[in-house]
Structures are given as C-alpha cells and as structure tokens.
Amino acid sequence: AADGGRPVPGDGTDPPAPERVLFPPTFSVSEIKNKQRRHFMFVRWKQQQRKEKLALKKKRRKEREALGDKAPPKAIPKTIENQRVYDETTVDPNDEEVAFDEATDEFAPYFNRQTVPKILITTSDRPRGRTVRFCEQLATVIPNSHVYYRRGLALKRIIPQCIARDFTDLIVINEDRKIPNGLVLSHLPDGPTAHFRMSSVRLRKEIKRKGKEPTEHVPEVILNNFTTRLGHSIGRMFAALFPHDPQFIGRQVATFHNQRDYIFFRFHRYIFKSEKKVGIQELGPRFTLKLRSLQKGTFDSKFGEYEWIHKRREMDTSRRKFHL
Amino acid sequence: TKTQNFCRNEYNLTGLCNRSSCPLANSQYATVREEKGRCYLYMKTIERAAFPRRLWERVLLSKNYEKALEEIDENLIYWPRFIRHKCKQRFTKITQYLIRIRKLTLKRQRKLVPLRRKIERRENRREEKALIAAQLDNAIEKELLERLKQDTYGDIYNFPIHAFDKALQQQDAESESESDAEREEDDEDDEDVDKREFVEAEDSELSDFEDMDKLETSSEEEQEEEEEVEKKASHSKSKGKTPLKGPARRKRPYIEIEYEEETEPSTKTKAA
C-alpha cells in the first residue's frame, strides 16, 4: 500500500493493530478527497478513539478501587438543569415578600376558599372537528367547566357577560389549520391573562393504553418545577382552575410539569399498589404549553399592560437560561 | 370565451385594454377614482391635450350616492354614452367596496403572524428534549408517593406494614440500633412467612368475597375496586389454589388488611 501504510479495502485483510500505523503529524482524516477512503479512515479513527476512551475508563475505575474509601466522590454529569443560569427571581420557599404578594393578589379569594372556580372554554372562529373534540375532552377533565361556541363574538364583549354570570376563568383555544395551537387563559374578575403556544395535542383516542373516561370526581393537581416568580404566578393560575378540595376517592390527578420552559399537561388515574409503589394510567388529553405573554388585566391585546412577553432576541440567547 | 388584457394605466375606466377604453387612445375621456375614501370624477378633453399638467380635470363627487350620480350626469352631459355608463358603473363599485371596508374595520381583524421555520423547528426539538428530560411518569409517581407519606390522603389507604414497622421501631427504641434492624428484618420475615401461610390456608372463595364486600362498603364505594374484586373472585372461582398465588400476592394490600389485624397478636408472640 502506498499512502501511510493503509491497505486497500478490497483486500479483505483487516489492517493490523492501529497502534502500529503511524500517521504523519499533520494528517487529518477530512483532507482525503476520496470518499470511500475517507470513510474508511474515519471509521478506523473512531474505533481507535473508542478504544482509548475505554482504556481510560478502566484505568480510572482501577484507580478508584485501589483508593477505596479515600477515592474522590463520583463526578456528577452535567445536565441542562444543573447548568441552568441562576435566575434572580427564583422563589425561596420561605420568602415573606412572595408570601405576602400571594396573599393579596388576584388569586387570594380562590386560595382562601371564597370562590369556586367556574370555567368557560371556547375556541376561535369556526373551529374544526379536532379542536371541538379537544374542547369537549378538556371540559371533562376540568370540573365545573362549560364549552360555548364562539360564533364570531368579540372577546371583549363576552368578558363582561362572563363576569356577570359568575365565571372565574376563561380559556380560549386558538386554532390554525385544523389543529389547536394556542391557548389563552384569563382569570376573570380582572385577573391576569396568559397566552400560551400549544403543541403536541393528543386526544384521548390517540393515547395508548388509556383507561376509561375521566369521572366527575375532582382531581388532584400537581404543579412541578415552577421555580421563578413568574413560574409561581403561572402555577397559581393553573391551580385556580381546579376546585380546591380534591376528592381522593376519584384517584385522578392532573399534572402540570414545567421543564425548560415547556409545561406538560397530563391527566392520570393512580392506584397505590403498595406503600412504595404506585401505578398510573393515563386518561384524558395531553398537551404542552409554552408561555408567550402574561398580561395584567383581562384580555386586551392593544391596551393591556404586559407583565411579561417572550422576546426572542433577548431571551433566547442562552441555552441554559429559562424563565419559568 | 374571449380573453382580454388588463390595462396598466391608472386612469383607465374599465381596466381592460380596448380601443374604446384606453385613456391614451381617446382624446375625450373620463374616469372615477377614489382617494382616501372620497370619489373624484376625472375628465380629459381635447382642448387641454397640449398641457399635460392641466390635462385631467378633477371634480369632487358628493357623498350621497344619488346626488353623485346626478353630478356625474351633469358633468358628462353630451359625452358619449359608453363613457357615461361606465363611469357610473365604476362609481357604484367603488362605493360598494368602501362600505365593505368600513364594515370590516369595525369587526375584529384577524392578525396573521408568519411562522418562522427555523424557530418552529428549534422549538419542536427543544420540546422533545425537554419531554425526555422531564421523565413525567417517574416525577408523578414520586410526587404521589410523597403525598402519601405526608399523610395528605388521611385514612383512605392503610398500609399496615408501614404502621407495623413504626410500632416496632417505637417498641425497640431502647435496644441497640443493629439488633433493632435485625429484629425488624426477622419480624418482617416472620410476617411474610405467616402471611403466606394464611393466604394459602384461608383462601376460600366465599370468605374472600364476603370480606372484600365488607371492606368496600365500609370505606369506599368505587366501581373500579368492585370490578377488581369481582375479577379476583372470578379468578378464585375459576382456578385452583396454587395458581392463585400470583394474583393473590399482587393484590395483597386488599386481603392483608383483613388478615393481619386478626393475626397481629399471634405474630407478636412468635417474634417474642
């Protein structure tokens, strides 16, 4: 073989142990023009790398065993959650200011058990079949909710009507090209309005191994991972959708799990098989939300006071920075 | 059908390119155009053909539809029929679309927000990764178990093993920790052995069914649990004793509640 001691692949002979092959110092696999040869060299290089890595691991493990008790603790692998940029608005569980804020904000009457949530679910104009079915399923999941069709009515006009009829929350599901893609959640008597982008909506029939329909019992609510101040208020908004006293007989749980600014909604039925084991079965629709904006008052796109808007250029600059 | 070209001249009356409706080909011509919601009648006569700046004479038409039509008639008196007719037609069309614009602006406008492909793709990918990182099932299970530990469910679920262990720990609090652990393990083993014995011995169908019924009516009234009970009862009726060990063991929490309470004193004596 002419170049660098590498045999022609047609030979059928495997190259001898790669350690014996000496590459000239400025050799780089990507500089070979011939694709077949380049691929071959790359594969060989990869195998070599893997072998070195394995050898390194073995050596480290031997060292660790040799040291025994005095070995340094295992290194924790870096994850995005570990490396998350520290957000200064992270809520400390013992923060008094936050506790005071929460005692006096718009959800205080709900958390003091003064109001019972009553929810109106509606869509944008002319909903298609998928959205309609999704609304119905959502209505079964959230107790005390009603679905009304929006025949071209302006939101600004239905809001005072809703307040007059004692609704506490309004959900508008926006639709595009026959699939729901947006959600506006508005707490009614003058409460904050959150606008979400909704994705990966699965109706009940599309969920595998699902159980029977959700019953009328009031489900429990799990809110996971809402750490910052903004996340806290959004979490409270979600909690205010469900009546305060869950019926444990129903064994149903609605979960809002926040991970990297995506809120995953799931609805399960659980059963405790033993003290340390619980089985869950998914029923009910599932979807993911991503917060786009949070407004102070009720829905008003022109004159509303925005508490938070997602600004792509400023907020999406770092991969380790999350806002919820 | 005859196809026609469009005329690009802005003063054209009909919009089509014909000899009779071309403003360049005719020295006497008129059009109706609208600007900022007001309609004007533009006229061109042969006398002003030499003065391009003053060529087109502009007359403001009244906002009243009928009056405007009369004004067109007045201004275009003695003009060819074709131009008069087409002017009035054009004026009608313009007023109609102006009315429509005004109606639409009162209604809600649908704002079209363009999707950015790169951003959509990026967000989808990040969502997938976030879903994998979230490990939702585990998180939910963990949370539920924690809530169970913290007693948020109150008395609904009895897991006597837990209570028994607690009681044991309290009893053996005086002795050393190691012997404690050993004893607990022993007791657990004894318990398990005893449990197994009891399940095998008293595995009669009728007693199971009756007891389960009592349990159900006393604590909870749930369709699912009754179904499970029925399933279990049907299992016990259909199969023999030994094959039952599988599902019986799985469904231990339900049976155990009954038997353990009865036999607690005996196990305690055995442990001692």
Side-chain angles (χ1 to χ4, degrees), chain A residues 216-266:
Chain A
E216 289 287 324
H217 295 111
V218 171
E220 290 178 54
V221 179
I222 292 183
L223 298 165
N224 264 343
N225 243 341
F226 287 96
T227 48
T228 65
R229 188 78 190 79
L230 177 66
H232 228 64
S233 34
I234 300 280
R236 279 162 69 79
M237 265 187 103
F238 286 131
L241 287 178
F242 294 90
H244 211 92
D245 302 304
Q247 295 172 315
F248 298 122
I249 324 174
R251 282 189 289 135
Q252 291 176 146
V253 57
T255 309
F256 292 91
H257 181 103
N258 171 39
Q259 186 84 14
R260 302 183 195 174
D261 278 356
Y262 288 95
I263 302 172
F264 298 101
F265 172 81
R266 300 283 186 273

Side-chain angles (χ1 to χ4, degrees), chain A residues 306-322:
Chain A
Y306 279 94
E307 216 179 289
W308 188 84
I309 312 182
H310 177 77
K311 292 188 191 136
R312 184 171 58 89
R313 300 246 166 145
E314 299 169 14
M315 297 181 181
D316 267 355
T317 45
S318 158
R319 283 190 214 205
R320 310 276 181 260
K321 185 167 185 338
F322 306 113

